[in-house]
Amino acid sequence: MRTNTRLNTMLDQTESKRLCVWGRNDAERQMIRRRQAAGELLHVGNRCYARPSYWQGLTEFERFRHLVRSLSRKHPHWVFGGPTAALMHGVCDSHRQMRTIHRVIEGNAMVRGTDIVTSHYVTDASHVVVDGVKVTPLPRTVFDCARWMEFPDALAVADSLLRQGRMTREGLRDSFLRERGRHADRAFRVADNATGRTDNGGESYAYGVILEEGFAKPMVQAAMPCLNENGNPDRVDFLWTTGDGRRIVAELDGRIKYRDESMYRNGSLPDTVIAEKEREERVRMVVDGFVRFSFGEAYRRVPLIRKLEWAGVPRLTG
Protein backbone atom coordinates (compact mmCIF):
# COMPACT_ATOMS: atom_id res chain seq x y z
CA MET A 1 0.00 0.00 0.00
CA ARG A 2 2.85 2.39 0.82
CA THR A 3 4.39 1.70 -2.59
CA ASN A 4 1.13 2.53 -4.37
CA THR A 5 0.76 5.73 -2.37
CA ARG A 6 4.30 6.75 -3.23
CA LEU A 7 3.80 6.21 -6.97
CA ASN A 8 0.40 7.93 -6.95
CA THR A 9 2.06 10.94 -5.37
CA MET A 10 4.75 10.90 -8.07
CA LEU A 11 2.05 10.69 -10.77
CA ASP A 12 0.06 13.55 -9.25
CA GLN A 13 3.17 15.73 -9.17
CA THR A 14 4.28 14.94 -12.72
CA GLU A 15 0.79 15.44 -14.17
CA SER A 16 0.55 18.84 -12.48
CA LYS A 17 3.77 19.77 -14.32
CA ARG A 18 2.55 18.25 -17.62
CA LEU A 19 5.17 15.52 -17.48
CA CYS A 20 5.33 11.75 -17.67
CA VAL A 21 6.74 9.65 -14.83
CA TRP A 22 10.03 7.71 -14.95
CA GLY A 23 12.15 5.77 -12.51
CA ARG A 24 15.07 7.65 -11.03
CA ASN A 25 16.58 4.59 -9.35
CA ASP A 26 16.24 0.80 -9.39
CA ALA A 27 13.52 0.74 -6.74
CA GLU A 28 11.34 3.22 -8.63
CA ARG A 29 11.93 1.44 -11.93
CA GLN A 30 10.83 -1.89 -10.44
CA MET A 31 7.78 -0.25 -8.88
CA ILE A 32 6.81 1.27 -12.24
CA ARG A 33 7.31 -2.03 -14.09
CA ARG A 34 4.99 -3.79 -11.64
CA ARG A 35 2.28 -1.17 -12.14
CA GLN A 36 2.72 -1.40 -15.91
CA ALA A 37 2.39 -5.20 -15.79
CA ALA A 38 -0.83 -4.76 -13.82
CA GLY A 39 -2.18 -2.46 -16.56
CA GLU A 40 -2.14 0.59 -14.31
CA LEU A 41 0.53 2.44 -16.30
CA LEU A 42 1.23 2.95 -20.00
CA HIS A 43 4.72 2.97 -21.45
CA VAL A 44 4.58 6.04 -23.70
CA GLY A 45 8.14 6.01 -24.98
CA ASN A 46 11.78 6.13 -23.93
CA ARG A 47 11.15 4.71 -20.42
CA CYS A 48 8.46 7.26 -19.68
CA TYR A 49 5.06 6.25 -18.33
CA ALA A 50 1.62 7.71 -17.66
CA ARG A 51 -1.73 6.76 -16.17
CA PRO A 52 -4.01 5.47 -18.98
CA SER A 53 -6.91 7.74 -17.96
CA TYR A 54 -4.66 10.82 -17.95
CA TRP A 55 -2.89 9.96 -21.21
CA GLN A 56 -6.10 9.23 -23.09
CA GLY A 57 -7.43 12.66 -22.14
CA LEU A 58 -4.57 14.43 -23.95
CA THR A 59 -4.40 15.37 -27.63
CA GLU A 60 -1.71 13.72 -29.70
CA PHE A 61 0.13 17.03 -29.83
CA GLU A 62 0.09 17.45 -26.05
CA ARG A 63 1.20 13.84 -25.55
CA PHE A 64 4.24 14.58 -27.68
CA ARG A 65 4.99 17.73 -25.72
CA HIS A 66 4.68 15.77 -22.45
CA LEU A 67 7.25 13.28 -23.70
CA VAL A 68 9.68 15.97 -24.88
CA ARG A 69 9.34 17.90 -21.61
CA SER A 70 9.97 14.68 -19.68
CA LEU A 71 13.07 13.81 -21.69
CA SER A 72 14.30 17.35 -21.13
CA ARG A 73 13.97 16.86 -17.37
CA LYS A 74 15.63 13.43 -17.52
CA HIS A 75 18.48 14.74 -19.66
CA PRO A 76 19.00 18.44 -18.82
CA HIS A 77 21.90 18.76 -21.27
CA TRP A 78 19.84 17.66 -24.28
CA VAL A 79 19.00 20.23 -26.96
CA PHE A 80 16.15 19.42 -29.32
CA GLY A 81 16.18 20.51 -32.95
CA GLY A 82 14.55 20.18 -36.35
CA PRO A 83 10.91 19.02 -36.39
CA THR A 84 10.85 18.49 -32.60
CA ALA A 85 11.98 22.06 -31.97
CA ALA A 86 9.47 23.26 -34.58
CA LEU A 87 6.66 21.54 -32.69
CA MET A 88 7.79 23.16 -29.44
CA HIS A 89 8.09 26.57 -31.17
CA GLY A 90 4.55 26.14 -32.51
CA VAL A 91 5.39 26.20 -36.22
CA CYS A 92 4.64 22.53 -36.92
CA ASP A 93 1.50 20.52 -36.21
CA SER A 94 2.12 17.44 -38.34
CA HIS A 95 1.21 14.19 -36.60
CA ARG A 96 3.79 12.37 -38.70
CA GLN A 97 6.56 14.49 -37.18
CA MET A 98 5.62 13.22 -33.72
CA ARG A 99 6.90 9.71 -34.42
CA THR A 100 10.54 10.71 -33.90
CA ILE A 101 12.26 13.02 -31.43
CA HIS A 102 15.20 14.96 -32.85
CA ARG A 103 18.10 16.20 -30.71
CA VAL A 104 21.24 18.04 -31.77
CA ILE A 105 24.73 17.31 -30.50
CA GLU A 106 27.69 19.62 -30.86
CA GLY A 107 30.77 17.91 -32.32
CA ASN A 108 30.85 14.23 -33.17
CA ALA A 109 30.61 12.44 -29.83
CA MET A 110 29.16 8.96 -30.21
CA VAL A 111 25.77 8.48 -28.57
CA ARG A 112 23.42 5.56 -28.45
CA GLY A 113 20.15 6.09 -30.25
CA THR A 114 16.74 4.73 -29.25
CA ASP A 115 13.66 3.66 -31.14
CA ILE A 116 12.24 7.19 -31.08
CA VAL A 117 15.24 9.52 -30.58
CA THR A 118 17.44 10.53 -33.53
CA SER A 119 20.63 12.54 -33.01
CA HIS A 120 22.06 15.11 -35.43
CA TYR A 121 25.63 16.34 -35.20
CA VAL A 122 26.02 20.11 -35.58
CA THR A 123 28.80 22.65 -35.19
CA ASP A 124 26.69 24.95 -33.02
CA ALA A 125 24.18 23.59 -30.50
CA SER A 126 23.20 26.96 -29.04
CA HIS A 127 19.67 26.99 -27.70
CA VAL A 128 16.75 28.89 -26.26
CA VAL A 129 14.26 27.60 -23.69
CA VAL A 130 10.65 27.06 -24.80
CA ASP A 131 8.13 25.64 -22.33
CA GLY A 132 10.99 24.48 -20.13
CA VAL A 133 12.75 22.67 -22.98
CA LYS A 134 16.11 23.51 -24.59
CA VAL A 135 15.54 23.86 -28.33
CA THR A 136 17.45 25.41 -31.20
CA PRO A 137 16.54 29.08 -31.87
CA LEU A 138 13.61 29.57 -34.23
CA PRO A 139 15.63 30.65 -37.33
CA ARG A 140 17.98 27.69 -36.91
CA THR A 141 15.05 25.36 -36.32
CA VAL A 142 13.35 26.33 -39.57
CA PHE A 143 16.65 26.14 -41.46
CA ASP A 144 17.26 22.60 -40.19
CA CYS A 145 13.69 21.55 -41.00
CA ALA A 146 14.14 22.91 -44.51
CA ARG A 147 17.35 20.85 -44.90
CA TRP A 148 16.27 17.63 -43.19
CA MET A 149 12.59 17.22 -44.06
CA GLU A 150 10.93 16.33 -47.32
CA PHE A 151 10.10 19.45 -49.35
CA PRO A 152 6.30 19.46 -48.71
CA ASP A 153 6.79 18.96 -44.96
CA ALA A 154 9.47 21.65 -44.80
CA LEU A 155 7.27 24.04 -46.77
CA ALA A 156 4.51 23.56 -44.17
CA VAL A 157 6.90 24.66 -41.39
CA ALA A 158 8.09 27.74 -43.30
CA ASP A 159 4.52 28.69 -44.24
CA SER A 160 3.43 28.41 -40.61
CA LEU A 161 6.22 30.75 -39.58
CA LEU A 162 5.20 33.32 -42.21
CA ARG A 163 1.47 32.89 -41.60
CA GLN A 164 1.93 33.69 -37.92
CA GLY A 165 3.88 36.83 -38.81
CA ARG A 166 6.95 35.68 -36.89
CA MET A 167 9.17 36.42 -39.88
CA THR A 168 8.85 37.88 -43.38
CA ARG A 169 9.84 36.07 -46.57
CA GLU A 170 12.85 38.34 -46.90
CA GLY A 171 13.74 37.79 -43.25
CA LEU A 172 13.47 34.03 -43.71
CA ARG A 173 15.87 34.01 -46.62
CA ASP A 174 18.25 36.40 -44.86
CA SER A 175 18.27 34.17 -41.78
CA PHE A 176 19.18 31.16 -43.95
CA LEU A 177 22.13 33.10 -45.35
CA ARG A 178 23.53 33.38 -41.83
CA GLU A 179 23.22 29.66 -41.09
CA ARG A 180 25.70 26.93 -41.97
CA GLY A 181 25.10 23.30 -42.78
CA ARG A 182 24.97 20.69 -45.51
CA HIS A 183 22.19 20.75 -48.10
CA ALA A 184 21.58 24.49 -47.69
CA ASP A 185 20.26 24.46 -51.27
CA ARG A 186 17.23 22.54 -50.02
CA ALA A 187 16.59 25.22 -47.42
CA PHE A 188 16.72 28.03 -49.98
CA ARG A 189 14.30 26.16 -52.23
CA VAL A 190 11.85 26.12 -49.34
CA ALA A 191 12.42 29.81 -48.62
CA ASP A 192 11.88 30.70 -52.28
CA ASN A 193 8.54 28.86 -52.45
CA ALA A 194 7.03 29.61 -49.04
CA THR A 195 4.14 32.06 -49.29
CA GLY A 196 2.58 32.18 -45.84
CA ARG A 197 -0.79 32.39 -47.59
CA THR A 198 -1.97 28.85 -46.95
CA ASP A 199 -4.58 28.33 -44.25
CA ASN A 200 -2.93 25.31 -42.65
CA GLY A 201 -0.17 22.75 -42.90
CA GLY A 202 -2.24 20.42 -45.06
CA GLU A 203 -2.59 23.07 -47.77
CA SER A 204 1.14 23.81 -47.58
CA TYR A 205 1.96 20.12 -47.95
CA ALA A 206 -0.33 19.82 -50.98
CA TYR A 207 1.23 22.94 -52.50
CA GLY A 208 4.66 21.34 -52.08
CA VAL A 209 3.50 18.17 -53.83
CA ILE A 210 2.03 20.21 -56.70
CA LEU A 211 5.34 21.99 -57.21
CA GLU A 212 7.46 18.84 -56.86
CA GLU A 213 5.34 17.05 -59.45
CA GLY A 214 6.09 19.74 -62.01
CA PHE A 215 2.75 21.52 -62.25
CA ALA A 216 2.66 25.24 -62.89
CA LYS A 217 2.70 27.34 -59.76
CA PRO A 218 -0.89 28.23 -58.75
CA MET A 219 -2.16 31.30 -56.96
CA VAL A 220 -2.69 30.42 -53.30
CA GLN A 221 -5.87 31.49 -51.47
CA ALA A 222 -7.02 33.34 -54.54
CA ALA A 223 -10.01 35.68 -54.54
CA MET A 224 -12.69 34.74 -57.08
CA PRO A 225 -15.13 37.00 -58.95
CA CYS A 226 -18.11 35.42 -57.16
CA LEU A 227 -19.27 37.00 -53.90
CA ASN A 228 -20.54 35.41 -50.71
CA GLU A 229 -23.59 36.51 -48.74
CA ASN A 230 -21.53 39.24 -47.06
CA GLY A 231 -20.45 40.69 -50.38
CA ASN A 232 -16.88 39.43 -50.06
CA PRO A 233 -15.09 37.45 -52.77
CA ASP A 234 -15.11 33.69 -52.35
CA ARG A 235 -11.58 32.35 -51.92
CA VAL A 236 -10.13 29.09 -53.19
CA ASP A 237 -7.05 27.15 -52.11
CA PHE A 238 -5.33 26.97 -55.52
CA LEU A 239 -6.09 28.71 -58.82
CA TRP A 240 -4.47 28.35 -62.22
CA THR A 241 -5.14 30.57 -65.22
CA THR A 242 -3.96 28.79 -68.38
CA GLY A 243 -2.46 30.33 -71.47
CA ASP A 244 -5.79 30.13 -73.29
CA GLY A 245 -7.61 31.88 -70.43
CA ARG A 246 -9.16 28.87 -68.68
CA ARG A 247 -9.46 28.99 -64.89
CA ILE A 248 -8.90 25.80 -62.89
CA VAL A 249 -9.43 25.50 -59.15
CA ALA A 250 -8.16 22.82 -56.75
CA GLU A 251 -9.36 22.63 -53.17
CA LEU A 252 -8.17 20.55 -50.24
CA ASP A 253 -11.09 18.86 -48.53
CA GLY A 254 -11.02 20.68 -45.19
CA ARG A 255 -12.81 18.06 -43.14
CA ILE A 256 -11.77 19.67 -39.87
CA LYS A 257 -14.47 22.30 -40.39
CA TYR A 258 -17.05 19.52 -40.07
CA ARG A 259 -15.46 18.03 -36.91
CA ASP A 260 -14.50 21.17 -34.98
CA GLU A 261 -17.63 22.73 -33.47
CA SER A 262 -15.83 26.07 -33.05
CA MET A 263 -15.77 26.36 -36.86
CA TYR A 264 -19.49 25.66 -37.38
CA ARG A 265 -21.55 28.29 -39.20
CA ASN A 266 -24.06 29.68 -36.69
CA GLY A 267 -22.99 26.87 -34.36
CA SER A 268 -24.69 24.38 -36.66
CA LEU A 269 -23.15 21.51 -38.61
CA PRO A 270 -26.01 21.44 -41.20
CA ASP A 271 -25.60 25.19 -41.78
CA THR A 272 -21.85 24.67 -42.24
CA VAL A 273 -22.35 21.90 -44.81
CA ILE A 274 -24.94 23.93 -46.73
CA ALA A 275 -22.77 27.08 -46.73
CA GLU A 276 -19.81 25.11 -48.10
CA LYS A 277 -21.92 23.55 -50.85
CA GLU A 278 -23.26 26.96 -51.81
CA ARG A 279 -19.74 28.41 -51.93
CA GLU A 280 -18.53 25.55 -54.11
CA GLU A 281 -21.46 25.98 -56.47
CA ARG A 282 -20.70 29.70 -56.87
CA VAL A 283 -17.07 28.92 -57.63
CA ARG A 284 -17.92 26.17 -60.13
CA MET A 285 -20.05 28.65 -62.09
CA VAL A 286 -17.09 30.96 -62.76
CA VAL A 287 -14.32 28.43 -63.51
CA ASP A 288 -13.63 25.90 -66.25
CA GLY A 289 -12.30 23.12 -64.03
CA PHE A 290 -12.73 22.22 -60.36
CA VAL A 291 -10.80 19.59 -58.39
CA ARG A 292 -11.50 18.56 -54.80
CA PHE A 293 -8.95 16.31 -53.14
CA SER A 294 -8.13 14.93 -49.69
CA PHE A 295 -4.88 15.16 -47.78
CA GLY A 296 -4.51 11.41 -48.22
CA GLU A 297 -4.61 11.85 -52.00
CA ALA A 298 -1.91 14.53 -51.80
CA TYR A 299 0.19 12.32 -49.52
CA ARG A 300 -0.10 9.33 -51.91
CA ARG A 301 0.50 11.76 -54.81
CA VAL A 302 -0.79 9.61 -57.68
CA PRO A 303 -4.51 10.31 -56.98
CA LEU A 304 -3.86 14.06 -56.84
CA ILE A 305 -1.70 13.97 -59.97
CA ARG A 306 -4.44 12.17 -61.90
CA LYS A 307 -7.08 14.67 -60.81
CA LEU A 308 -4.95 17.68 -61.78
CA GLU A 309 -4.07 16.13 -65.13
CA TRP A 310 -7.72 15.29 -65.79
CA ALA A 311 -8.68 18.91 -65.04
CA GLY A 312 -6.02 20.17 -67.47
CA VAL A 313 -3.68 21.86 -64.98
CA PRO A 314 -0.60 22.82 -67.02
CA ARG A 315 2.79 21.31 -66.26
CA LEU A 316 6.10 23.06 -66.66
CA THR A 317 8.25 21.98 -69.60
CA GLY A 318 12.00 21.49 -69.72
Side-chain angles (χ1 to χ4, degrees):
M1 180 66 71
R2 230 159 91 192
T3 300
N4 286 347
T5 300
R6 180 182 174 190
L7 183 56
N8 287 336
T9 299
M10 288 173 59
L11 287 164
D12 290 341
Q13 291 174 344
T14 55
E15 289 171 6
S16 70
K17 298 174 182 176
R18 298 174 300 146
L19 299 170
C20 306
V21 70
W22 62 89
R24 293 164 296 184
N25 51 53
D26 287 341
E28 289 185 353
R29 285 189 282 270
Q30 290 176 9
M31 176 175 60
I32 287 171
R33 282 196 293 268
R34 287 196 297 270
R35 293 286 288 271
Q36 181 195 8
E40 298 173 21
L41 286 179
L42 286 175
H43 178 236
V44 299
N46 217 259
R47 299 180 183 178
C48 292
Y49 301 81
R51 276 189 274 224
S53 58
Y54 178 76
W55 196 250
Q56 289 161 6
L58 300 175
T59 65
E60 186 175 2
F61 180 67
E62 190 50 41
R63 289 177 186 176
F64 185 83
R65 290 173 69 94
H66 268 60
L67 187 53
V68 174
R69 282 192 293 262
S70 300
L71 291 177
S72 182
R73 294 291 187 94
K74 286 179 68 177
H75 308 284
H77 62 287
W78 280 17
V79 177
F80 299 88
T84 302
L87 283 153
M88 298 304 294
H89 277 295
V91 293
C92 179
D93 59 3
S94 169
H95 296 293
R96 288 174 293 103
Q97 303 306 324
M98 300 179 198
R99 299 170 186 167
T100 303
I101 291 174
H102 299 264
R103 57 176 293 216
V104 297
I105 301 173
E106 201 166 291
N108 54 6
M110 295 299 295
V111 297
R112 184 173 62 184
T114 71
D115 55 340
I116 62 171
V117 179
T118 295
S119 298
H120 303 267
Y121 299 100
V122 296
T123 56
D124 179 11
S126 58
H127 66 271
V128 296
V129 177
V130 175
D131 198 10
V133 176
K134 292 179 180 178
V135 296
T136 50
L138 185 57
R140 180 72 199 193
T141 295
V142 179
F143 179 71
D144 287 339
C145 286
R147 295 188 301 135
W148 298 345
M149 300 168 75
E150 296 293 327
F151 176 70
D153 286 308
L155 195 61
V157 171
D159 266 352
S160 178
L161 179 82
L162 300 181
R163 186 167 56 245
Q164 295 179 41
R166 297 170 75 173
M167 200 176 288
T168 64
R169 289 187 67 186
E170 296 74 17
L172 177 64
R173 204 173 202 289
D174 288 345
S175 74
F176 284 2
L177 288 170
R178 292 189 291 271
E179 302 293 350
R180 294 292 180 268
R182 297 176 59 192
H183 308 303
D185 56 318
R186 298 178 185 174
F188 286 109
R189 184 186 177 205
V190 170
D192 290 341
N193 285 284
T195 67
R197 292 180 57 82
T198 55
D199 276 347
N200 51 62
E203 285 182 17
S204 297
Y205 185 94
Y207 184 52
V209 171
I210 289 168
L211 298 183
E212 274 203 318
E213 292 300 330
F215 289 98
K217 186 176 290 190
M219 290 182 61
V220 179
Q221 285 298 317
M224 302 301 293
C226 48
L227 304 179
N228 61 26
E229 63 272 20
N230 297 318
N232 299 317
D234 286 312
R235 305 188 75 84
V236 296
D237 296 339
F238 307 110
L239 169 67
W240 291 267
T241 301
T242 66
D244 57 3
R246 291 180 302 117
R247 283 189 294 216
I248 303 170
V249 162
E251 293 237 281
L252 175 64
D253 187 7
R255 297 180 185 183
I256 187 173
K257 71 181 69 171
Y258 305 125
R259 294 195 294 262
D260 185 348
E261 293 185 10
S262 67
M263 300 181 70
Y264 286 176
R265 175 71 65 92
N266 302 323
S268 165
L269 175 58
D271 285 358
T272 304
V273 173
I274 291 171
E276 178 59 22
K277 287 185 177 295
E278 290 176 343
R279 185 190 73 87
E280 183 172 317
E281 182 62 24
R282 290 193 299 269
V283 171
R284 285 183 181 275
M285 292 177 66
V286 297
V287 299
D288 304 284
F290 189 101
V291 171
R292 181 172 288 282
F293 64 94
S294 67
F295 179 80
E297 289 175 318
Y299 185 71
R300 296 193 304 274
R301 295 198 177 219
V302 171
L304 175 58
I305 292 169
R306 288 176 176 168
K307 285 187 174 183
L308 296 180
E309 289 178 337
W310 173 80
V313 174
R315 296 185 97 140
L316 301 176
T317 58

